[in-house]
């Protein structure tokens, strides 16, 4: 009796898997009709989110972030550079997004994944246009030296909505720096170059105060948060997984700052038109998601302070 029940369950699972594999769109549309996702989330709900801070001690900042199964690790490093002629009183931020073959079976060794280049550009544009960081604060000596901030984001598991997870990991890295991580102290050496040193050592050696004394932390003016949605017929699905993105190809990504102001709206093609009503609904979902992400980020920072 038991063996017959087990064999029946296996047969049912095989039938469902076969249906999902051969008729993927029909499979997902059956869930859409019930206003839920295949993982039993409501269509407007995002997957479970977790944020950790400062897990790698050898770099200035490291932040692993996970939404569903999609996992990113942000690593931040600061170096002194020569100021550019175009922006002599500003520092700069360089953002790179990496998708190694380990993150997805669709990423092959060799040339970088095309999606990685697109996400890198999106991240850089979003961080700069949101004015999250005042680049003038990164200036050390006007016209001579400034901080170059390198932000590298590594995709460890690409299971949908990569930009949302990458942006959250970037925001978490900068937020942690602004709260708990001090910007390295720098001073002029005997050759007139700006070098990162110990404040006590420099004062004892030369009697000069560090150039950036009193400028210990980054100041963040607003934090950008995003939500990617799938538009399919009359349905809107928030925070899709990779399989859903490949089947229902129309994506819309909304980025809002912490004051709920629109930073950017991105729709990279797709067969479904983004009517005004659909855009308004996606923005409303992003507002709700922004509050959730702010709460998750604040909890992670609080836990770090306690530790």
């Amino acid at each position: 009796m038991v063996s017959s029940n087990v064999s029946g369950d296996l047969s049912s699972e095989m039938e469902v898997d076969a249906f999902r594999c051969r008729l993927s769109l029909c499979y997902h549309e059956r869930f859409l009709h019930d206003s839920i996702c295949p993982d039993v989330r409501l269509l407007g709900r995002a997957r479970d989110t977790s944020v950790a801070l400062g897990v790698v001690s050898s770099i200035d900042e490291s932040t692993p972030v996970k939404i569903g199964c999609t996992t990113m690790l942000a690593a931040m490093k600061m170096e002194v550079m020569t100021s550019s002629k175009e922006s002599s009183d500003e520092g700069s931020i360089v953002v790179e997004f990496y998708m190694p073959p380990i993150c997805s079976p669709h990423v092959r060794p060799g040339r970088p994944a095309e999606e990685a280049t697109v996400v890198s550009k999106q991240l850089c544009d979003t961080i700069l246009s949101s004015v999250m960081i005042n680049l003038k604060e990164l200036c050390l000596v006007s016209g001579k030296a400034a901080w170059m901030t390198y932000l590298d984001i590594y995709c460890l598991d690409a299971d949908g909505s990569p930009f949302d997870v990458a942006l959250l990991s970037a925001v978490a890295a900068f937020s942690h720096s602004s709260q708990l991580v001090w910007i390295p102290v720098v001073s002029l050496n005997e050759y007139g170059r700006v070098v990162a040193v110990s404040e006590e050592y420099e004062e004892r050696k030369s009697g000069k105060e560090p150039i950036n004394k009193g400028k210990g932390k980054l100041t963040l003016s607003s934090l950008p948060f995003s939500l990617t949605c799938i538009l399919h017929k009359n349905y809107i699905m928030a925070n899709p997984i990779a399989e859903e993105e490949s089947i229902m190809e129309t994506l819309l990504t909304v980025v809002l700052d912490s004051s709920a102001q629109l930073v950017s709206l991105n729709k990279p093609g797709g067969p479904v038109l983004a009517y005004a009503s659909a855009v308004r609904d996606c923005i409303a979902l992003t507002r709700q998601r922004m509050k959730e992400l702010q709460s998750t980020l604040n909890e992670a920072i609080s836990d770090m302070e306690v530790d």
Side-chain angles (χ1 to χ4, degrees), residues 76 173-181 217-220 301:
M76 192 171 73
F174 281 115
S175 297
H176 183 220
S177 295
S178 69
Q179 295 289 328
L180 303 174
V181 177
K217 296 182 181 180
L218 291 173
T219 301
L220 304 185
I301 292 175

Side-chain angles (χ1 to χ4, degrees), residues 110-181:
R111 59 185 302 177
E114 182 179 345
E115 187 176 11
T117 305
V118 174
V119 174
S120 290
K121 183 66 166 60
Q122 277 186 277
L123 286 170
C124 188
D125 291 345
T126 299
I127 291 172
L128 295 179
S129 61
S130 67
V131 200
M132 177 173 64
I133 296 175
N134 183 1
L135 296 181
K136 294 184 182 298
E137 285 194 358
L138 299 178
C139 179
L140 293 171
V141 180
S142 182
K144 293 185 178 180
W147 284 113
M148 170 79 80
T149 303
Y150 295 97
L151 179 64
D152 295 332
I153 300 176
Y154 299 88
C155 182
L156 307 180
D157 190 342
D159 189 30
S161 307
F163 174 75
D164 294 349
V165 189
L167 180 60
L168 180 58
S169 64
V171 169
F174 281 115
S175 297
H176 183 220
S177 295
S178 69
Q179 295 289 328
L180 303 174
V181 177

Side-chain angles (χ1 to χ4, degrees), residues 69-258:
C69 290
T70 306
T71 308
M72 306 280 177
L73 175 65
M76 192 171 73
K77 199 87 170 165
M78 299 181 71
E79 294 182 359
V80 178
M81 69 167 191
T82 302
S83 301
S84 63
K85 295 180 179 179
E86 296 78 13
S87 53
S88 59
D89 60 343
E90 293 182 351
S92 62
I93 299 173
V94 177
V95 181
E96 292 290 344
F97 180 74
Y98 300 94
M99 294 185 71
I102 193 176
C103 75
S104 170
H106 302 293
V107 178
R108 302 299 183 190
R111 59 185 302 177
E114 182 179 345
E115 187 176 11
T117 305
V118 174
V119 174
S120 290
K121 183 66 166 60
Q122 277 186 277
L123 286 170
C124 188
D125 291 345
T126 299
I127 291 172
L128 295 179
S129 61
S130 67
V131 200
M132 177 173 64
I133 296 175
N134 183 1
L135 296 181
K136 294 184 182 298
E137 285 194 358
L138 299 178
C139 179
L140 293 171
V141 180
S142 182
K144 293 185 178 180
W147 284 113
M148 170 79 80
T149 303
Y150 295 97
L151 179 64
D152 295 332
I153 300 176
Y154 299 88
C155 182
L156 307 180
D157 190 342
D159 189 30
S161 307
F163 174 75
D164 294 349
V165 189
L167 180 60
L168 180 58
S169 64
V171 169
F174 281 115
S175 297
H176 183 220
S177 295
S178 69
Q179 295 289 328
L180 303 174
V181 177
W182 290 85
I183 296 175
V185 177
V186 297
S187 183
L188 292 173
N189 64 13
E190 60 269 26
Y191 303 106
R193 295 180 178 179
V194 177
V195 292
V197 293
S198 158
E199 182 175 349
E200 295 79 5
Y201 172 78
E202 182 64 26
E203 289 183 347
R204 184 173 64 251
K205 180 181 177 183
S206 63
K208 298 179 182 179
E209 289 191 354
I211 295 173
N212 61 337
K213 187 175 183 179
K215 296 183 179 179
K217 296 182 181 180
L218 291 173
T219 301
L220 304 185
S221 57
S222 61
L223 304 179
F225 298 98
S226 67
L227 179 65
T228 297
C229 299
I230 278 181
L231 306 181
H232 183 73
K233 296 182 177 179
N234 296 323
Y235 302 101
I236 298 177
M237 178 191 293
N239 192 222
I241 63 173
E243 180 184 3
E244 293 160 350
E245 290 179 343
S246 65
I247 296 168
M248 297 171 279
E249 299 174 348
T250 305
L251 300 175
L252 181 68
T253 301
V254 179
V255 182
L256 301 178
D257 63 20
S258 49

